[in-house]
């Protein structure tokens, strides 16, 4: 019960390892020790059904023990997401991909699949005052393109413009309209959720994208998270959040028109952001860890 090895028990009892093995065998035979296997897949199936019934979305729950670190939690969820995406992505599709910490891990876990006439388009700009962001976002997009033999369409604009009018003017440029056209025709969107409270920080909150004034504005507007740098409140509302007028990600009304919208998220501290994103109608499929799934299923 103290999770000690047989060698450690043998040393403590001043006996041999083989004697400990015989004692354990005797304990199991007499019923002193009872070994039970609780299949994680049965729990997972119940959680997935519960989430489907309550929120009308398809959940893909990744079983794992509570003791894993947050970084390992992200990696396990990303591994499952990478395999699922190979089932979702087909030929002749336009796939929108947001950049971020979770999607970076997912892009390394993709299972290769040969497709034709498939396009991967970047959902939001990645530049800020410190960097163009092209290298970081490009790495993610290129991994998706390589995995599926797809054409890659980057979106070389800032994550946030300084002025809403600048964004509106940029949206009139033919080169920008070309990318926006691809976004308007998406068959599948892949994204994670940003949250300032996450244990594994969302890149938009730690990568120099937001100023002190931006944080104050978000607090005043009661924003609790974002999808592709478009912020939302706990009730799913987003249009009158001031920073969104300068954001380059697709509006949530546009995102809702995408037939399949896959959210990949992990960690208990993403619960509020996940519930809000569901309330906003942005998710059709969610890939999440078991602990977060349980909190979501139990949430009032």
């Amino acid at each position: 019960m103290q999770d000690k090895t047989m060698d450690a028990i043998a040393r403590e009892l001043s006996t041999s390892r083989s004697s400990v093995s015989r004692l354990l065998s005797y304990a199991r035979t007499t019923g002193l020790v009872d070994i039970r296997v609780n299949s994680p897949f049965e729990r997972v199936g119940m959680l997935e059904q519960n989430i489907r019934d309550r929120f009308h979305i398809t959940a893909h729950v990744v079983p794992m023990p509570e003791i894993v670190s947050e970084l390992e939690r992200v990696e396990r969820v990303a591994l499952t997401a990478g395999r699922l995406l190979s089932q979702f992505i087909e030929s002749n599709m336009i796939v929108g991909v947001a950049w971020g910490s979770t999607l970076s891990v997912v892009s390394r876990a993709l299972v290769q699949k040969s497709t034709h006439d498939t396009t991967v388009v970047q959902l939001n700009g990645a530049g800020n005052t410190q960097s163009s962001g092209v290298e970081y976002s490009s790495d993610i997009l290129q991994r998706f393109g390589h995995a599926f033999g797809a054409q890659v369409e980057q979106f070389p604009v800032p994550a946030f413009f300084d002025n809403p009018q600048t964004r509106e003017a940029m949206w009139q440029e033919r080169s920008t309209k070309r990318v926006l056209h691809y976004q308007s025709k998406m068959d599948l969107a892949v994204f994670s959720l940003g949250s300032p409270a996450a244990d594994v920080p969302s890149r938009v909150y730690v990568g120099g994208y937001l100023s002190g004034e931006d944080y104050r504005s978000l607090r005043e507007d009661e924003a609790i998270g974002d999808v592709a740098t478009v912020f939302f409140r706990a009730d799913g509302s987003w249009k009158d959040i001031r920073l969104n007028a300068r954001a380059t990600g697709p509006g949530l009304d546009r995102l809702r028109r995408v037939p399949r919208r896959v959210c990949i998220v992990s960690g208990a501290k993403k619960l509020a952001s996940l519930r809000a994103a569901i309330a906003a109608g942005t998710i059709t499929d969610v890939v999440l860890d078991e602990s977060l799934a349980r909190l979501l299923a139990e949430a009032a």
Side-chain angles (χ1 to χ4, degrees):
M1 291 191 66
Q2 295 173 18
D3 208 29
K4 292 187 178 295
T5 64
M6 285 194 284
D7 285 331
I9 296 169
R11 286 194 300 271
E12 188 167 321
L13 298 181
S14 301
T15 187
S16 66
R17 188 180 185 280
S18 59
S19 295
V20 174
S21 179
R22 286 194 297 271
L23 284 167
L24 288 173
S25 179
Y26 173 76
R28 286 194 296 269
T29 301
T30 59
L32 180 64
V33 172
D34 184 18
I35 298 177
R36 300 181 183 182
V37 177
N38 297 310
S39 171
F41 300 104
E42 183 178 348
R43 299 196 309 271
V44 163
M46 293 175 64
L47 279 172
E48 291 176 344
Q49 185 63 50
N50 190 315
I51 292 170
R52 185 181 298 109
D53 292 343
R54 291 194 60 189
F55 300 105
H56 308 294
I57 61 175
T58 300
H60 308 271
V61 178
V62 183
M64 66 184 70
E66 296 280 354
I67 60 172
V68 300
S69 68
E70 288 305 315
L71 184 58
E72 185 177 355
R73 194 178 298 274
V74 172
E75 290 173 347
R76 291 194 187 193
V77 169
L79 184 63
T80 296
R83 291 170 178 168
L84 279 170
L85 289 174
S86 69
Q87 300 173 29
F88 295 162
I89 296 176
E90 302 287 350
S91 297
N92 305 305
M93 289 182 68
I94 297 178
V95 181
V97 176
W99 53 263
S101 303
T102 299
L103 265 295
S104 180
V105 183
V106 171
S107 69
R108 293 181 173 88
L110 295 168
V111 177
Q112 290 200 5
K113 177 180 180 179
S114 180
T115 68
H116 60 84
D117 293 331
T118 297
T119 301
V120 175
V121 61
Q122 184 176 335
L123 280 181
N124 52 318
N128 60 26
T129 57
Q130 302 174 17
S131 165
S132 69
V134 170
E135 183 177 348
Y136 173 73
S137 59
S138 177
D139 285 347
I140 296 172
L141 272 289
Q142 293 299 333
R143 291 188 199 110
F144 271 85
H146 177 72
F148 301 105
Q151 171 187 336
V152 172
E153 292 291 340
Q154 296 185 41
F155 198 19
V157 296
F160 302 98
F161 284 100
D162 290 335
N163 191 302
Q165 285 72 37
T166 308
R167 188 190 75 165
E168 292 306 313
M170 188 68 178
W171 265 215
Q172 301 307 312
E173 293 293 324
R174 284 179 295 173
S175 59
T176 306
K177 283 185 174 181
R178 178 170 164 273
V179 178
L180 295 176
H181 175 73
Y182 277 113
Q183 291 182 1
S184 70
K185 301 293 184 181
M186 286 186 293
D187 302 287
L188 170 68
V190 185
F191 53 88
S192 186
L193 298 176
S195 170
D199 290 312
V200 177
S202 303
R203 190 173 178 87
V204 70
Y205 297 99
V206 297
Y209 289 92
L210 301 173
S211 67
E213 180 58 36
D214 291 334
Y215 278 112
R216 282 191 293 274
S217 174
L218 289 172
R219 284 195 299 270
E220 289 171 3
D221 289 341
E222 300 180 328
I224 64 165
D226 74 281
V227 172
T229 61
V230 175
F231 295 88
F232 48 77
R233 299 185 182 88
D235 62 359
S237 61
W238 63 279
K239 285 190 176 181
D240 58 342
I241 293 176
R242 286 167 288 176
L243 191 56
N244 288 341
R246 299 192 282 114
T248 54
L252 302 191
D253 48 359
R254 172 179 287 185
L255 192 60
R256 284 194 290 263
R257 293 197 293 268
V258 180
R260 173 167 259 164
R261 308 177 297 277
V262 182
C263 176
I264 303 158
V265 62
S266 66
K269 292 186 178 179
K270 290 282 186 82
L271 176 62
S273 184
L274 175 57
R275 292 185 65 190
I278 293 171
T282 61
I283 297 171
T284 62
D285 294 74
V286 59
V287 187
L288 71 172
D289 64 276
E290 185 178 354
S291 298
L292 178 56
R294 188 178 301 111
L295 290 172
L296 179 63
E298 294 171 352

